[in-house]
Each structure stands twice: as structure tokens, then as C-alpha cells.
Amino acid sequence: MQITGFSWLGVGVEDFPEALQFFRDVLGLRIAAKDDERGVAMLQVAERQVLEVFGPGTKGKELTSPPVIAFEVDDVVEAKAELLASGVELIGDTGSWNGFEWQYFRGPGGHIFAIKKTPPDGWDATA
């Protein structure tokens, strides 16, 4: 098996409208499908990559525990500034290792996410 990215991530939240506003307006994700009555929305991250948000009382919220996911960005410093400008709580300092850069932040419902930049030549496990 070879993993080439992620295709789906489910995130359960307590405040569904707040979570959608955050993912849409702060992170810039496009809402691909939404069912306000059920409290479920699918947001497009990249081609064939979906973040699905589950509001209170949905089966999906019960099934998804909040994993930490990193969203790939071109410039961590610039993305960090945008998060700060939007009032997002950053967690710790910006990290770097072996050409990677990242910054953790707290999203809706207290979930922890990260922004990450992968070096142009990718990842070398032997480095």
C-alpha cells in the first residue's frame, strides 16, 4: 500500500455554523455539500481530498475523534500571519525539521490542527 495524501477527514464539532465559518472563511475551503438540517457538510481541501464536518447529534460526530491533521501551505510564515489576523490561537512556536515547517493551531471545538510546508523535493526518510 502507498499512501499519497488523504482523501477524507471527519471532524465532530459542537458548534456546526461556527465550524463551517472557520473552515470556509479562515482556511478558505470550499463547501462542496451541506445539509443544515442534519448538521453535516463536506468541504473541498484539494482534488480528491475532503474534510467532513459533523455537528452535534450526528452519528458521524460520535464516530470521529479529533485527529491532528496538517494542511499543506506554500508559506508557513504567511499562513501563520493570516491565522493570527483572524484571531486564531496558535499553539507553540513554528517548528522546522529537515526542510519541513509547521505551526499548530486551535480550531473550532478546541480541535488541534496544523499548517505545514513540505520541502520541494519531498521527504527523505534517511535524512
Side-chain angles (χ1 to χ4, degrees):
M1 177 183 343
Q2 181 181 8
I3 304 297
T4 60
F6 83 90
S7 63
W8 178 89
L9 170 71
V11 177
V13 299
E14 289 299 321
D15 189 329
F16 182 69
E18 174 191 50
L20 285 186
Q21 182 274 328
F22 177 82
F23 289 119
R24 182 191 62 223
D25 299 342
V26 176
L27 295 187
L29 302 182
R30 182 181 65 82
I31 297 175
K34 180 172 77 160
D35 185 335
D36 287 319
E37 189 173 309
R38 290 183 48 226
V40 177
M42 296 179 77
L43 295 100
Q44 188 75 41
V45 177
E47 185 178 341
R48 300 178 59 181
Q49 294 181 345
V50 174
L51 181 138
E52 189 165 3
V53 180
F54 298 96
T58 63
K59 184 176 182 178
K61 183 176 184 300
E62 296 173 18
L63 294 173
T64 56
S65 58
V68 174
I69 184 165
F71 295 99
E72 186 72 22
V73 296
D74 291 330
D75 186 325
V76 170
V77 172
E78 181 180 305
K80 178 180 174 179
E82 290 179 31
L83 290 173
L84 282 171
S86 295
V88 174
E89 176 191 353
L90 301 180
I91 300 171
D93 296 325
T94 302
S96 63
W97 172 79
N98 211 24
F100 291 89
E101 298 174 57
W102 63 88
Q103 174 68 59
Y104 289 96
F105 64 92
R106 193 169 309 281
H111 298 303
I112 297 173
F113 295 91
I115 48 174
K116 180 180 72 69
K117 180 180 179 188
T118 302
D121 55 351
W123 182 59
D124 180 359
T126 63

